[in-house]
Amino acid sequence: MRQSLWGVLVAAIAMAAPAHAQSTVKVGGLLETSGFLASLGKPGLEGAQLAVDEANAKGGINGKKIEFININTESDTNKAVSATKRLIEQDEVVGIIGAMNSGSSYSIIDTVQRAMVPIVSNGGSRGIVLPADKKQWVFLAPLTDVLVQSVMMNDMKKKGITKIALLNADSGFGTSGRGELEKHAADYGIKIVIQETFGNGDQDMTPQLTKIRGSDAQATVVWATGPGQAIATRNYRQLDIKHPLYLSHAANDFNFLRLAGSSADGILIPSSKLYVVDELPANDSQRDVIKNFVQQYEKKYGQKPATFAGNGYDAMKIILAAIGKGGTDKKKIRDAIEGLKDHVGVTAVYTYSPTDHFGAQASSVVLLSVKDGKFVIAK
Amino acid sequence: MSEFVQLLISGLMVGSIYGLIGIGFTTIYNVTGIVNFAQGDFAMVGALSAIMFYAAGSPLWVAIILAIILVGLLATLIERFAIRPIGTHVTRGIIATIGVGVVLQGAAVLIWGSDAQPMPAFSGDRPFNLWGTTILPQTLWIFGTAATLMVLLYLFFQKTYPGKIMRACAINPFAAQLMGIRLNAMRTFSFLLSGMFGAIGGIIVAPIALTQYDSGIGLGIKGFVACIIGGFGNPIGAAVGGLLLGVLEAMSSGFISSGFKNAISFVLLLLFLSVRSGGLLGDLEKVGR
């Protein structure tokens, strides 16, 4: 028995299915529709597809139809690398939409750099495109942790909060957020007095939050994705911790609201304007873009778009805009992405430059709250 | 002090679930010798189908009972069509259960999607205070259900005739058959029991932990570790192992560092496998294993 118990600790999985080729402009995708980030990758894929459909309905880009080839990377870094190689070598794509998984995004940098194929990544952490002069072919579309944290900490400063607690997931997103917060907090006169971690599959964060409750923190920041942040929010209310709770932009998602229920009321989220478009002033440049996106998405998929659908849509739109300027030459497409100015997307307004591959502008980030189960702009 | 109690309660709660999953392992193992690696997925299917029945309009308790029965039946079907054709070969059976787990997760994505799902608490979400700690009513449900089931199962195996038959099948299937015991019927019965235990574990924790298609993997691993700690095949051992694991995890994240939490379970797993493979309480009257 002892032997068989040891034996069964080892298991293996296989994958892969072939793709096909055609004479259109091909854009590759690495979005994960299974694995632990499937709930991000799936809407991301739908958003990207929507952008392609819109372009093709208008007769394509420069008269050429866009063919979108997405390979499911299963939230797995190894799969991401092999999928990238296949897209570049077999399908000969001119650009790639990256995976939602930060880890997957990191793992393919080397491959795309060497093959010289532009990629617009959907990963959440900044390191993916840093330093920009060494990663000329890699761009980021979603809001970055530093960008949203700057908005968050400005709000803390305004409220006179100087001591905070940090609870982050041990995922790529969580640890990157932790690193950036630790690096920049002092700039705002803020000190992290206690830091705790939880695993992505954990069922209960009460132990960590109990510790935080016993500290002298004036606010708590939870940096995580998926159900983990919803469980943490519920536990936070159960432990009856009174001070403000800030979550990351990953909580700007209606799935989070569904999971967190009434616990979410009153939380603060620095994020995009996607869910508060009706509150935006008429002169907001993103207003019409977001409205159109929400309308088209609901028409096609019969439900409200998740934040990640907006990310996929933006990433694809950026590549398509660059193809519109650069044609089908990969180098020219790359240059065109780097030259984009005030490109209005769903998640943000993008301006890239040789030193800035993040693109998203701070003015696109608003501080949200939740009231009666709905996102509102925090007052 | 109140911090310690809070951690203890959290640990016991999570540990009860590990214990229930562990008991599910025990039930199948005691009859077939197979370690069912789809055990955690039984919990996942149980929780998600209870949520589905509830969403379809049935009262919560009806939804829960339906889901438990459904998973029980599903487990017997798995035994009949995935395990029995392999024969009594233990290692092959174990590998087959890994495959079954993958199939269950895939089916769950197709049926329920990849998003996590919430489930309403059995008796309200309002926590109450006790000696400076906050406790959810659902936590009491988990304690009560786990304790009751653990005791019942122990009595069943030790004191009742069918329980003894089940153990006889595990100790020597050939001799048991010679004594007129229908081995296949007992195997099916063990899967039925185990499926229902798994479903109950998944359902009672669902209001606290949220469930998605891959929630079963983590639960399954922790349940397995609970069994190893307590002694594989011993339901009381699985319960004790689960509680111990849960409390150790909570205490280590509370007093040392939350980063150590998962390391604890795997260190314990390796430690027990190499130093004391019989676990704390040892096999249940098993010789030569």
Side-chain angles (χ1 to χ4, degrees), chain A residues 1-2 4-6 8-11 33-39 42 170 195-199 202-204 206-208 210-211 213-214 227 230-231 234-235 237-240 255 258-259, chain B residues 3 6-7 10 13-14 18 29 35 37 94 109 114-118 127 132 134 136 207-210 212-214 219 224 228 232 250 253-254 256 258 261-262 269-270 273-274 277 289:
Chain A
M1 188 56 220
R2 185 165 159 184
S4 59
L5 288 181
W6 273 110
V8 295
L9 284 174
V10 185
T33 47
S34 63
F36 75 100
L37 285 179
S39 56
K42 245 171 148 174
D170 61 3
Q195 184 276 327
E196 292 293 326
T197 311
F198 63 83
D202 283 4
Q203 275 107 41
D204 186 29
T206 315
Q208 290 92 328
T210 305
K211 250 173 118 175
R213 185 172 64 172
I231 298 174
R234 288 168 157 220
N235 291 160
R237 299 294 182 221
Q238 283 151 22
L239 288 177
D240 202 23
N255 275 324
R258 205 167 49 90
L259 295 178
Chain B
E3 187 178 322
Q6 188 81 57
L7 293 174
S10 163
M13 182 196 82
V14 176
Y18 296 166
Y29 175 79
V35 179
F37 274 91
I94 293 173
V109 174
S114 51
D115 292 328
Q117 315 259 359
T134 40
L136 280 178
I208 287 179
L210 312 174
Q212 61 186 24
Y213 70 100
D214 60 355
L219 285 177
F224 177 72
I228 298 282
F232 228 99
S253 26
I256 311 171
S258 35
K261 206 192 114 187
N262 281 324
L269 173 66
L270 295 175
L273 277 175
S274 44
S277 64
R289 274 186 189 262

Side-chain angles (χ1 to χ4, degrees), chain B residues 203-266:
Chain B
I203 290 168
I204 56 174
V205 78
I208 287 179
L210 312 174
T211 316
Q212 61 186 24
Y213 70 100
D214 60 355
S215 299
I217 303 172
L219 285 177
I221 292 174
K222 295 294 168 64
F224 177 72
V225 177
C227 286
I228 298 282
I229 293 175
F232 228 99
N234 186 332
I236 294 297
V240 171
L243 291 174
L244 194 69
L245 180 62
V247 171
L248 274 177
E249 279 188 353
M251 292 298 167
S252 63
S253 26
F255 290 118
I256 311 171
S257 159
S258 35
F260 281 122
K261 206 192 114 187
N262 281 324
I264 294 266
S265 54
F266 293 112

Side-chain angles (χ1 to χ4, degrees), chain B residues 23-252:
Chain B
I23 286 179
F25 275 106
T26 304
T27 316
I28 289 181
Y29 175 79
N30 272 344
V31 176
T32 64
I34 289 175
V35 179
N36 171 30
F37 274 91
Q39 194 61 42
D41 298 305
F42 286 169
M44 176 271 296
V45 174
L48 286 177
S49 39
I51 292 167
M52 177 180 71
F53 291 135
Y54 180 70
S58 61
L60 190 58
W61 64 273
V62 177
I64 291 169
I65 291 171
L66 281 176
I68 295 170
I69 295 172
L70 179 82
V71 178
L73 291 178
L74 182 71
T76 60
L77 288 178
I78 288 169
E79 192 278 330
R80 181 64 191 84
F81 294 107
I83 311 295
R84 199 183 296 177
I86 294 168
T88 51
H89 197 292
V90 170
T91 313
R92 281 188 209 157
I94 293 173
I95 307 268
T97 64
I98 296 177
V100 167
V102 174
V103 171
L104 287 180
Q105 287 161 35
V109 174
L110 290 179
I111 300 171
W112 295 293
S114 51
D115 292 328
Q117 315 259 359
M119 181 166 167
F122 298 175
S123 44
D125 262 331
R126 284 258 303 278
F128 56 90
N129 276 290
L130 199 67
W131 306 308
T133 61
T134 40
I135 302 172
L136 280 178
Q138 189 67 26
T139 309
L140 298 183
W141 274 103
I142 293 176
F143 288 164
T145 312
T148 314
L149 288 178
M150 286 166 184
V151 171
L152 283 181
L153 191 73
Y154 181 75
L155 291 178
F156 172 75
F157 273 124
Q158 291 295 350
K159 308 285 181 204
T160 69
Y161 187 63
K164 284 179 183 161
I165 294 179
M166 283 180 84
R167 274 161 51 218
C169 293
I171 294 167
N172 191 333
F174 185 64
Q177 262 179 316
L178 287 181
M179 296 296 126
I181 295 170
R182 280 193 293 166
L183 194 58
N184 280 340
M186 291 322 284
R187 287 167 69 102
T188 307
F189 181 63
S190 77
F191 269 80
L192 175 74
L193 260 190
S194 167
M196 290 166 75
F197 268 96
I200 293 171
I203 290 168
I204 56 174
V205 78
I208 287 179
L210 312 174
T211 316
Q212 61 186 24
Y213 70 100
D214 60 355
S215 299
I217 303 172
L219 285 177
I221 292 174
K222 295 294 168 64
F224 177 72
V225 177
C227 286
I228 298 282
I229 293 175
F232 228 99
N234 186 332
I236 294 297
V240 171
L243 291 174
L244 194 69
L245 180 62
V247 171
L248 274 177
E249 279 188 353
M251 292 298 167
S252 63

Side-chain angles (χ1 to χ4, degrees), chain A residues 126-145:
Chain A
R126 274 166 64 90
I128 296 167
V129 296
L130 284 177
D133 59 322
K134 293 226 171 61
K135 297 178 183 166
Q136 304 94 328
W137 297 87
V138 190
F139 299 88
L140 215 56
L143 300 175
T144 63
D145 28 27

Side-chain angles (χ1 to χ4, degrees), chain A residues 56-74:
Chain A
N56 284 341
K58 287 181 194 150
I61 308 277
N62 298 337
K64 279 187 178 169
K65 293 269 182 189
I66 302 295
E67 189 187 339
F68 180 35
I69 307 162
N70 188 68
I71 300 181
N72 174 12
T73 50
E74 303 176 32

